[in-house]
Amino acid sequence: MPGARITGWGTAVPDKVVTNTDLSLRLDTSDEWITERTGIKERHIGGTTSELAIAAGRAALARAGVTPADIDVLVLATTTPDAVVPGTSATVQDGLGIAGGAMDLNAACSGFVYGLVTAHGLIMAGARRVLLIGSETLSRITDWDDRTLAVLVGDGAGAVVLEATDGPSQLLGWHLGADGSLRHLLRCEHGGHLWMNGKEIFRHAVRAVLESSLTALERAGFGPDDVDLFVPHQANARIITAAAARLGITEDRYVMTIDRYGNTSSASIPLALAHAAETDRLHLGDIVLLSGFGGGMTWASAVLRWDA
Ligand code: UT7
């Protein structure tokens, strides 16, 4: 069976930057509160999910050195589609000129890791190249008068190209989980605004990241000490440091980008992964642990041997 490997990546964020100070001018909040409780300093706001996805997808294709005609399947992870119908992946397929199929995947903030496992499965089933994008415009479902959520969200997109290889697959282990009995903790009805029980999500998130990461690592035949780089979903700096501490992963071995992007849901892991690649924190052969969690609730972890 063919293996799969990531051969390119790309990101896109809107030009407009909103700082904590900007928010504190119109909401009862402060840079101090937001920084201490979340680690966020600023976020990018604007655009549509398809526009950001197209820009990130184009960058990933260019880096991989492949054309849209080479892509067999586009998987778009998003929880903020441009419309209910059609799937936003159709707009992205058209915008990029992708020759193959296109589908949306909604697993909230776990979407990118769910998509990564799906993409590996598609390649094992015979696809030669898959473009996987996580793209979000959470700002469009946020009530900007609600300080509890307005300070958290950001917009952006990250993409990777996965290609079939004759060598071993880079995906060494994975774990996908869900508990729909917790779906009331984070939700947005049609035409409504995002609502979240932050404290409860926080509590479940640390445990979900820990247990899911350990399961994926165990399936790969590894433990936390083998992880060269931990790339977690960026929802709150305190969740990341708590989960990393329980895994025994020190600060030099995890990626934190929440300060500049806020919570970008399914875009957060590919944005953090690209940041790591571009700041020389990813090296050939590194063991990389990705772990996400979010509405549903869902959670997902993947262990990769980096060979991009
Ligand atoms: O992407 C996946 C899903 N999302 C998450 O993973 C988010 C998980 N949860 C969190 O990150 C945190 O729970 C939050 C950042 C949302 C909130 O932090 P917290 O430490 O749990 O604060 P809290 O909700 O307990 O609020 C503490 C206080 C409250 O005031 P009182 O009741 O103590 O007087 C809030 O009203 O802070 C107040 N508060 C604020 N103050 C200033 C809430 N939001 C703000 C704000 N600025 N923006």
Side-chain angles (χ1 to χ4, degrees):
M1 264 200 250
R5 53 190 287 264
I6 292 173
T7 57
W9 60 88
T11 63
V13 288
D15 292 336
K16 185 178 174 187
V17 175
V18 176
T19 65
N20 291 349
T21 307
D22 293 336
L23 289 175
S24 69
L25 296 176
R26 55 181 307 274
L27 290 169
D28 181 16
T29 190
S30 64
D31 176 39
E32 193 186 4
W33 190 95
I34 303 168
T35 306
E36 260 178 30
R37 299 289 180 125
T38 72
I40 300 167
K41 296 298 286 184
E42 59 186 37
R43 68 290 286 149
H44 294 252
I45 299 292
T48 67
T49 294
S50 58
E51 284 167 359
L52 293 168
I54 289 167
R58 191 169 281 135
L61 291 170
R63 190 180 283 267
V66 300
T67 70
D70 297 323
I71 298 297
D72 296 320
V73 189
L74 162 68
V75 180
L76 176 67
T78 187
T79 193
T80 47
D82 288 354
V84 179
V85 178
T88 305
S89 54
T91 310
V92 178
Q93 176 274 324
D94 185 40
L96 287 172
I98 283 171
M103 65 169 168
D104 284 26
L105 184 160
N106 182 351
C109 306
S110 315
F112 183 80
V113 181
Y114 265 78
L116 193 69
V117 176
T118 304
H120 278 84
L122 286 165
I123 286 178
M124 289 183 81
R128 297 298 300 169
R129 293 183 189 85
V130 177
L131 176 61
L132 167 64
I133 308 175
S135 183
E136 301 283 5
T137 45
L138 287 179
S139 68
R140 294 189 308 148
I141 58 166
T142 298
D143 175 357
W144 286 93
D145 292 324
D146 174 4
R147 69 175 182 175
T148 61
L149 275 153
V151 304
L152 302 179
V153 302
D155 300 334
V160 293
V161 174
L162 288 111
E163 297 193 58
T165 166
D166 292 333
S169 189
Q170 74 172 167
L171 179 66
L172 306 177
W174 55 270
H175 176 254
L176 305 181
D179 182 354
S181 74
L182 300 174
R183 62 191 182 278
H184 57 283
L185 295 180
L186 178 48
R187 60 177 197 272
C188 176
E189 306 299 334
H190 284 300
H193 289 128
L194 207 53
W195 182 90
M196 173 173 80
N197 182 333
K199 273 210 180 321
E200 277 299 294
I201 294 266
F202 193 115
R203 201 167 61 80
H204 288 288
V206 175
R207 202 183 61 220
V209 169
L210 183 68
E211 290 176 3
S212 176
S213 294
L214 288 174
T215 304
L217 282 166
E218 191 186 338
R219 290 179 182 174
F222 292 123
D225 290 350
D226 299 306
V227 175
D228 294 300
L229 198 67
F230 176 37
V231 187
H233 169 47
Q234 310 278 317
N236 187 320
R238 290 185 294 138
I239 296 178
I240 297 173
T241 48
R246 290 191 199 180
L247 286 166
I249 294 178
T250 46
E251 203 177 335
D252 54 312
R253 292 193 289 136
Y254 63 77
V255 184
M256 186 89 88
T257 53
I258 191 166
D259 53 329
R260 65 188 64 194
Y261 297 131
N263 183 344
T264 58
S265 191
S266 60
S268 91
I269 289 180
L271 279 168
L273 189 68
H275 178 76
E278 278 150 27
T279 52
D280 200 27
R281 292 192 65 191
L282 274 171
H283 310 104
L284 208 63
D286 275 359
I287 298 300
V288 183
L289 168 66
L290 313 179
S291 189
F293 60 90
M297 286 188 66
T298 59
W299 49 89
S301 301
V303 181
L304 302 177
R305 188 186 302 279
W306 188 254
D307 67 354

